[in-house]
Amino acid sequence: MLVFVFPGQGSQSPGFLAPWLELPGVADRLRWASAVVGDDLVAHGTVSDAETLRDTAVAQPLIVAAGLVALRELVDGPAQLARVAGAVAGHSVGELTAAAATGALSPEQALVLVRERGRAMAAAAAARPTGMSAVLGGDPAEVAAALSRLGLTAANDNGGGQVVAAGELPALRALADEPPAKARVVPLQVAGAFHTEHMAPAVGTLRELAAGLEPGTATVPLAANADGELVTDGAQLLPRLVAQVSRPVRWDLCTEAFRRLGVTALIELAPAGTLVNLAKRQLKGIDVLALKTPADLERARTLIAEHGAAAAATAGAGGVQ
């Protein structure tokens, strides 16, 4: 059983889209996405520097657009996706990419939402200096106690001994200065404390915008960030997409959902790498691929041919909502 996953903010790097622009039609689709979001995604994906890409309002639309153009090279829309994939998931902003991939949202709806999401989260982050740091290793109870003592939030529980702490910068510096035993603290290149109460203003903005949307039904179950539940009803998914801006991402529970489904292969769409590394540690024995450049497409098509045939038999399993 094959699953597709879509990365979140921090996965982008300077020039990562350049190889994709060599494929027919990719530049046209990116120009269309650029018109929707009101920014030059082609330029950001090819020549913008790391500091520019760190801007939340730039990074988030770029990541969603990149995931959709990469997926288009493998499957032609939600109906074909349902013939090869048993489930999908996206980490943080990647959940919007996943929703568009399944047809729960149209690509244009997802791009408008991510445009406003990025702007609103950037504005919320600018209100107070905050950030995020990965905490790698350590005893889970000791890590949780350290975060609580410093007033930090476990904004991402990625499983495999990786928790992302979020909050005010002095508290993050204190965590790095005195990390929990056997833990390593790595600051992340993001502009704010995402998935915490600091993002509450952005939630209000998105809730007002989402009220005017008419979502569809996902052709493939989506393992939701909040709790790993498999969701196909767009009317249930949309409020989850809004609320997750200020709530922790439980990628560990998404991984558990894949395990219950009997996943045998996982493909992470561009800009790929982070989620595949997590899968290698937590879903041992499955085939994984980080689809970073078009050079990886042949291997991706092989995995689809080998693992995609069982999708129709497994897509309804696991408590789909």
Side-chain angles (χ1 to χ4, degrees):
M1 198 272 285
L2 173 68
V3 297
F4 288 97
V5 295
F6 301 86
Q9 193 167 344
S11 58
Q12 74 279 5
S13 60
F16 80 94
L17 269 182
W20 293 96
L21 290 167
E22 298 175 10
L23 299 180
V26 168
D28 293 336
R29 289 192 286 276
L30 285 172
R31 281 191 286 269
W32 173 256
S34 296
V36 176
V37 302
D39 204 354
D40 190 344
L41 300 179
V42 174
H44 288 316
T46 55
V47 299
S48 289
D49 60 18
E51 186 60 29
T52 300
L53 297 184
R54 187 173 179 270
D55 183 344
T56 302
V58 170
Q60 292 192 11
L62 181 63
I63 290 167
V64 170
L68 291 177
V69 297
L71 182 66
R72 179 65 175 76
E73 297 302 316
L74 296 175
V75 296
D76 187 9
Q80 188 176 2
L81 179 71
R83 291 195 287 272
V84 300
V88 300
H91 193 287
S92 186
V93 73
E95 195 164 45
L96 278 171
T97 325
T102 66
L105 296 175
S106 71
E108 288 77 14
Q109 287 174 330
L111 288 168
V112 170
L113 279 175
V114 76
R115 178 190 72 201
E116 298 307 313
R117 185 186 194 269
R119 291 173 180 174
M121 291 176 72
R128 182 182 299 178
T130 59
M132 305 177 81
S133 294
V135 184
L136 308 175
D139 179 80
E142 293 182 13
V143 171
L147 267 55
S148 177
R149 183 175 66 253
L150 293 168
L152 296 168
T153 299
N156 302 162
D157 189 337
N158 290 326
Q162 184 186 117
V163 173
V164 175
E168 298 188 9
L169 295 181
L172 290 171
R173 285 193 290 269
L175 180 68
D177 290 341
E178 295 186 27
K182 299 181 180 180
R184 184 163 56 96
V185 178
V186 180
L188 300 181
Q189 294 302 306
V190 295
F194 304 148
H195 304 291
T196 72
E197 61 184 7
H198 295 283
M199 294 293 111
V203 173
T205 299
L206 288 176
R207 184 177 293 121
E208 291 180 359
L209 183 62
L213 286 182
E214 294 183 4
T217 299
T219 59
V220 175
L222 187 153
N225 277 190
D227 48 22
E229 290 292 329
L230 296 171
V231 182
T232 56
D233 184 348
Q236 293 186 25
L237 179 60
L238 187 56
R240 287 171 173 265
L241 291 169
V242 171
Q244 57 111 295
V245 170
S246 66
R247 294 180 182 176
V249 172
R250 294 299 306 270
W251 192 253
D252 58 329
L253 299 181
C254 294
T255 301
E256 283 300 319
F258 292 159
R259 184 178 288 112
R260 290 194 304 272
L261 286 172
V263 61
T264 58
L266 177 148
I267 297 174
E268 180 183 2
L269 279 298
T274 301
L275 301 181
V276 156
N277 288 335
L278 293 173
K280 287 177 179 177
R281 294 197 292 270
Q282 299 172 62
L283 295 169
K284 294 185 182 298
I286 74 167
D287 286 330
V288 297
L289 174 66
L291 187 66
K292 295 182 178 181
T293 74
D296 302 312
L297 286 170
E298 183 177 356
R299 174 60 179 156
R301 292 177 181 127
T302 298
L303 289 181
I304 289 172
E306 293 176 348
H307 297 269
T314 59
V320 177
Q321 296 183 7

